[in-house]
Amino acid sequence: FGTRRRKMPKDAIARRHSFSVGGVEGYLHTGLFEDGSPGELFITGSNQGSTVSGLLASLSIVTSLALQHGVPLETLVSKLQHIRFEPSGMTDDPKIPTAPSIVAYIYRYLGNTFLNGHDVKPGDTGMLCPDCGAAAIAEEGCLKCSKGCGWSRCG
C-alpha cells in the first residue's frame, strides 16, 4: 500500500447503528480510533443469503483496511454513496430517506455521521423514476418523480 497501517486500539470505542433499506434490516458497527475517527467497519444484514452476507463482510474488511492505511473517509463516501442495486428504496433514517442500495446507505450514513454531511447532497436519492427515467426525489417521506409524470412510492 505504501503507507503504514494505523492499528486499532486493543479496546476501541464503537458506534452501533441499525438500519433498514428497502425492507432489509441490518446493523453497522463502526470502531473508532482514539481521535474519534472511524477505523473499522462491521456490517451485518438480517435475513440475507450467504452471497449478500459474504459481500457485506468483504466490504467491511476492505473498508477497514482502507481506513487503517490512510484512505480518507471522504474518498470512500464520494465513490460509494451512489452505488445502485437491490435492495434499494425507502429507509428508516430521516436524514437519508431513500437509498439506491445498502452500500450507498452505509456510506451516506458514514458521511453524515463523521463528515457532517460534507459529501452527501441533501435530497439526492440516487434513484430514478421507473416510469420515465427522471431523477426520483424525496418529498414528505415519499419518493416522487422530479418531472411530475405521476409516479410516487411511499413507505
Side-chain angles (χ1 to χ4, degrees), residues 1-5 65-66 68-69:
F1 290 150
T3 61
R4 269 207 139 124
R5 182 176 178 190
L65 286 171
Q68 292 170 21
H69 281 278

Side-chain angles (χ1 to χ4, degrees), residues 19-25 48 81-92 96-105 108 125-128 130 136 143 151 153-155:
F19 64 87
S20 175
V21 175
V24 175
E25 297 178 352
Q48 295 301 301
Q81 69 174 334
H82 298 293
I83 298 290
R84 181 185 321 273
F85 60 88
E86 294 297 326
S88 64
M90 305 299 283
T91 77
D92 62 350
I96 310 167
T98 61
S101 68
I102 291 175
V103 171
Y105 175 81
R108 289 177 184 190
T125 66
M127 299 182 75
L128 301 176
L143 281 177
W151 176 85
R153 185 167 90 194
C154 298

Side-chain angles (χ1 to χ4, degrees), residues 42-117:
F42 298 97
I43 311 163
T44 56
S46 64
N47 299 327
Q48 295 301 301
S50 60
T51 301
V52 173
S53 295
L55 289 172
L56 291 176
S58 300
L59 181 66
S60 299
I61 293 167
V62 170
T63 300
S64 298
L65 286 171
L67 292 169
Q68 292 170 21
H69 281 278
V71 175
L73 180 59
E74 294 90 343
T75 301
L76 296 172
V77 169
S78 70
K79 297 295 182 188
L80 297 168
Q81 69 174 334
H82 298 293
I83 298 290
R84 181 185 321 273
F85 60 88
E86 294 297 326
S88 64
M90 305 299 283
T91 77
D92 62 350
D93 187 334
K95 291 181 181 175
I96 310 167
T98 61
S101 68
I102 291 175
V103 171
Y105 175 81
I106 288 167
Y107 286 94
R108 289 177 184 190
Y109 169 79
L110 293 172
N112 280 340
T113 303
F114 296 104
L115 304 174
N116 297 317

